[in-house]
Amino acid sequence: MKRKGILLVVSGPSGAGKGTVCKELLNRNDNIDLSISVTTREPRPGEIDGVSYYFTEKDDFKKKIDEEAFLEYAEVYGNFYGTPKEKVFEKLESGRDVLLEIDIQGALKVKKIYKDGVFIFIVPPSMQELKSRLELRGTETRESMINRFESAYREINFVFSYDYVVVNDEVDLATNKLEAIIEAEKCRVHREKNFIEGL
Amino acid sequence: MKRKGILLVVSGPSGAGKGTVCKELLNRNDNIDLSISVTTREPRPGEIDGVSYYFTEKDDFKKKIDEEAFLEYAEVYGNFYGTPKEKVFEKLESGRDVLLEIDIQGALKVKKIYKDGVFIFIVPPSMQELKSRLELRGTETRESMINRFESAYREINFVFSYDYVVVNDEVDLATNKLEAIIEAEKCRVHREKNFIEGL
């Protein structure tokens, strides 16, 4: 019998480097798919439907909300973004692991619907380091940087709703930890029920 | 602040190969200590006190039972065997991981006392393979082999009291899984509380 894939839900404050770690994880692992979000915002130049996002109209998006077609969704600056439930579940059923890189509010919603998910919170090694990273980006005003820093502080409290915390000191090491978590989770007794009963 | 070590409790039916896997795990990892049992049985030639076992007298052992000095103990063929609580806890406090390779009854007792332990059950890839392995040993009578096989069948039901099940197909791969479990467990949010609060 085929083993179900694992739903990995990864969040973390901005500056923690979750994007880089997730990218490295996907590069290394052929069996993990990044979940592609549905959005109502306009495609930007170069964005391809079904690759960057699934682009759709607001009416259609709202219909899908009513049909409970999303694992989670949110409205940001007037545009909707959502994680399509069926696509994710299909992949999991076929044995592929699926990575959701989403914000904390989204992750908490997913947790309510899909308890079998593995919830991972990525943090910087220290708040000082987070500050340096935000400064290094250099793309932001002082005010928006202070905002980000303060919201990172607030966000870190949500780590206790997650299963794992991964300290992103070095991208390679943090990615190793994610891989270890996946391998360990595949040995969890409740996931191996079918195999055990087969014995 | 120093992180506490992890208590690894490893069990499995005979023929699953848990001894070999545990040995390989210890060979690879300097930070893991095998817990040394206390016993009232006579030392055999070559056995050194404090290395193979801590050898002690029956009276002393019984006194220690009354003092609740054991994480678990059992009487086997008139001899007592026990896991010394204080020694294990000292190591864990100092940040070292401790490996207990014990039978299911022992593991269930440890689970009651020390919920923070990581309980791992090692199984053969199939019952056919287990049978072959028992036959290969060639050291047993047909009757004792059938006994072992039947008790393996019964024992496998206890896997649901454990956290993880590791299929021992190849020793190297099974050891990799144990290492992944340890690395993942070190990322568990409840174990990283001090670090998170430090942030």
Side-chain angles (χ1 to χ4, degrees):
Chain A
M1 185 177 290
K2 203 153 203 168
R3 283 187 183 83
K4 250 176 107 166
I6 287 183
L7 180 66
L8 298 162
V9 182
V10 175
S11 310
S14 63
K18 62 179 182 303
T20 326
V21 173
C22 285
K23 214 169 149 187
E24 177 63 16
L25 182 73
L26 291 166
N27 277 342
R28 289 194 201 170
N29 294 278
D30 281 344
N31 194 49
I32 309 176
D33 291 327
L34 183 68
S35 160
I36 298 163
S37 297
V38 181
T39 184
T40 60
R41 84 152 162 71
E42 290 295 311
R44 291 178 192 147
E47 285 186 341
I48 301 162
D49 188 50
V51 178
S52 321
Y53 286 97
Y54 297 106
F55 295 100
T56 189
E57 302 300 319
K58 236 170 228 185
D59 283 352
D60 185 54
F61 198 101
K62 285 181 177 166
K63 217 182 95 200
K64 282 189 176 136
I65 293 176
D66 292 338
E67 294 166 2
E68 300 187 346
F70 297 114
L71 265 174
E72 55 86 34
Y73 70 92
E75 195 181 348
V76 183
Y77 300 125
N79 293 312
F80 286 92
Y81 297 82
T83 302
K85 202 192 279 183
E86 206 183 312
K87 287 225 174 3
V88 169
F89 285 2
E90 270 171 17
K91 281 179 192 268
L92 294 175
E93 283 301 328
S94 78
R96 295 188 64 76
D97 303 322
V98 178
L99 173 63
L100 292 189
E101 190 196 325
I102 52 177
D103 66 8
I104 295 165
Q105 278 64 40
L108 296 180
K109 285 179 200 161
V110 175
K111 204 180 168 182
K112 275 191 190 153
I113 299 179
Y114 195 76
K115 291 193 195 314
D116 249 8
V118 177
F119 295 80
I120 302 168
F121 200 82
I122 297 193
V123 294
S126 68
M127 291 311 276
Q128 186 50 48
E129 174 65 21
L130 183 113
K131 214 177 143 194
S132 314
R133 287 181 194 173
L134 289 177
E135 278 167 1
L136 259 174
R137 288 190 182 174
T139 53
E140 298 178 59
T141 63
R142 184 157 171 75
E143 204 193 344
S144 96
M145 224 193 64
I146 291 172
N147 273 342
R148 273 189 193 271
F149 190 68
E150 283 176 351
S151 85
Y153 247 114
R154 279 194 306 275
E155 285 174 358
I156 281 177
N157 290 313
F158 285 97
V159 63
F160 295 108
S161 302
Y162 287 71
D163 302 312
Y164 297 96
V165 57
V166 168
V167 181
N168 181 18
D169 210 332
E170 279 181 50
V171 174
D172 260 357
L173 297 180
T175 313
N176 292 348
K177 284 178 187 169
L178 282 184
E179 290 186 318
I181 290 168
I182 297 167
E183 192 167 2
E185 282 289 333
K186 292 195 173 173
C187 296
R188 284 243 151 215
V189 167
H190 69 94
R191 294 190 201 279
E192 286 286 51
K193 236 174 161 174
N194 287 334
F195 171 77
I196 296 163
E197 278 159 8
L199 279 180
Chain B
M1 187 178 288
K2 204 152 202 166
R3 283 186 182 85
K4 250 175 106 166
I6 286 183
L7 182 65
L8 298 161
V9 182
V10 176
S11 312
S14 64
K18 63 179 182 303
T20 325
V21 173
C22 285
K23 214 169 148 184
E24 177 63 15
L25 182 72
L26 290 167
N27 277 342
R28 290 193 201 171
N29 293 278
D30 281 343
N31 194 49
I32 308 177
D33 291 326
L34 183 67
S35 161
I36 298 163
S37 296
V38 181
T39 184
T40 61
R41 85 152 161 70
E42 289 296 309
R44 291 178 192 148
E47 284 186 341
I48 300 163
D49 187 49
V51 178
S52 321
Y53 285 97
Y54 296 107
F55 295 101
T56 190
E57 301 300 318
K58 236 168 227 183
D59 283 352
D60 185 54
F61 198 102
K62 286 182 175 165
K63 218 182 93 199
K64 282 188 177 133
I65 295 176
D66 293 337
E67 294 165 1
E68 301 187 346
F70 296 115
L71 265 174
E72 57 85 36
Y73 70 91
E75 195 182 346
V76 184
Y77 299 127
N79 294 312
F80 286 92
Y81 297 81
T83 302
K85 201 193 278 181
E86 206 184 311
K87 287 228 174 2
V88 170
F89 285 2
E90 270 171 15
K91 280 180 194 268
L92 294 175
E93 283 300 330
S94 78
R96 295 189 65 76
D97 302 323
V98 178
L99 173 64
L100 293 189
E101 189 196 327
I102 52 177
D103 66 8
I104 295 165
Q105 279 64 39
L108 297 180
K109 286 179 199 161
V110 175
K111 204 180 170 185
K112 275 191 192 154
I113 299 179
Y114 195 76
K115 291 193 196 316
D116 250 6
V118 177
F119 295 81
I120 303 168
F121 200 82
I122 298 193
V123 295
S126 68
M127 290 312 276
Q128 186 50 48
E129 173 66 21
L130 183 112
K131 212 176 145 196
S132 313
R133 286 182 194 173
L134 289 177
E135 278 167 0
L136 259 175
R137 286 190 183 176
T139 53
E140 298 176 60
T141 63
R142 183 158 173 75
E143 203 193 345
S144 95
M145 225 193 62
I146 291 172
N147 273 341
R148 273 188 193 274
F149 190 67
E150 283 176 350
S151 84
Y153 248 113
R154 278 193 307 275
E155 285 175 356
I156 281 175
N157 289 313
F158 285 97
V159 65
F160 295 107
S161 302
Y162 287 71
D163 302 312
Y164 298 96
V165 56
V166 168
V167 182
N168 181 20
D169 211 332
E170 277 181 53
V171 174
D172 259 358
L173 297 180
T175 312
N176 292 348
K177 284 178 186 168
L178 283 185
E179 290 186 317
I181 290 168
I182 297 167
E183 192 167 1
E185 281 289 335
K186 290 195 174 174
C187 297
R188 285 245 150 214
V189 167
H190 69 93
R191 291 188 204 280
E192 286 285 51
K193 236 175 163 176
N194 287 333
F195 170 77
I196 296 161
E197 278 159 9
L199 279 180

